[in-house]
């Protein structure tokens, strides 16, 4: 066990379809090491972190335990068919006395420990739900049938959302208990319950490795780090 007061859930059970053939994404190599190793090393380096729970592809649970053994003390559970299910399964393994839970993506393998700290600090400071975000850099159009432009969206009120997303534990538990349909992030579940969700500044290093180009970008960022 590490020494902080925060649990970090790391869903890592996805297939990585958009990255192309080559096995589960969390186990794909970046500079010779699996993405999950990069991610967990950075999570463990954040002083606030006490517990790390990884949701791995069911068939890879023993291999992932072995892989992470030299990196940090980690609980590994089998994930589910959807990310939300993997998060819920990891959440069930958090010890009862932990009050702050962060939900992270193994695919955001280069997320700096400082970002994990700032999300944790915002929850500790009284915000029930916290998300790291970046401004939108591109112009965004709304389109209708036939790809006809309906209008230009005011991007100053838009944000790109990253992880880790931080929650008071009771809020995350209630959000998952109430979740009917699958959403792409956990804060969306909290929003639906009327819980205020606050943004903190995200990081370019927290990009989600999704497509082959992202691996090239991540490799470059690794050397810039
Ligand atoms: N994830 C998970 N369980 C699932 C699906 C996704 O734990 N059933 C995890 C992924 O391992 C990843 C994170 O959720 O760390 C974000 O998902 P995404 O980037 O979509 O990863 P994949 O689902 O693996 O990729 P793809 O959608 O391209 O298959
Ligand atoms: Mg996916």
């Amino acid at each position: 066990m590490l020494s902080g007061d925060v649990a970090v859930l790391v869903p890592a059970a996805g297939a990585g379809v958009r990255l192309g053939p080559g096995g589960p994404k969390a186990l794909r190599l970046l500079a010779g090491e699996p993405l999950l190793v990069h991610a967990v090393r950075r999570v463990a380096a954040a002083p606030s972190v006490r517990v790390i729970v990884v949701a791995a592809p069911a068939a890879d649970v023993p291999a992932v335990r072995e892989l992470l053994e030299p990196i940090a003390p980690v609980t590994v559970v089998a994930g589910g068919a959807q990310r939300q299910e993997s998060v819920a399964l990891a959440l069930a393994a958090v010890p009862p006395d932990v009050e702050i839970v962060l939900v992270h993506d193994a695919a955001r393998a280069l997320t700096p420990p400082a970002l994990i700290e700032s999300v944790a600090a915002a929850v500790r400071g009284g915000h029930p739900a916290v998300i790291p975000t970046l401004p939108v850099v591109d112009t965004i159009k709304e389109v209708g049938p036939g790809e006809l432009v309906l209008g230009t969206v005011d991007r100053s009120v838009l944000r790109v959302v990253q992880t880790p997303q931080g929650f008071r534990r009771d809020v995350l538990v209630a959000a998952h208990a109430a979740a009917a349909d699958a959403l792409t992030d956990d804060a969306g579940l909290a929003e639906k319950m009327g819980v205020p969700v606050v943004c903190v500044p995200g990081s370019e290093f927290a990009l989600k490795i999704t497509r082959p180009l992202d691996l090239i970008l991540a490799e470059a960022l690794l050397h810039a780090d």
Side-chain angles (χ1 to χ4, degrees), residues 14-18 25 83 208:
V17 171
R18 288 169 288 179
K25 180 160 70 178
R83 180 185 181 279
K208 186 156 73 76

Side-chain angles (χ1 to χ4, degrees), residues 7-23:
V8 183
L9 314 182
V10 185
V17 171
R18 288 169 288 179
L19 207 51

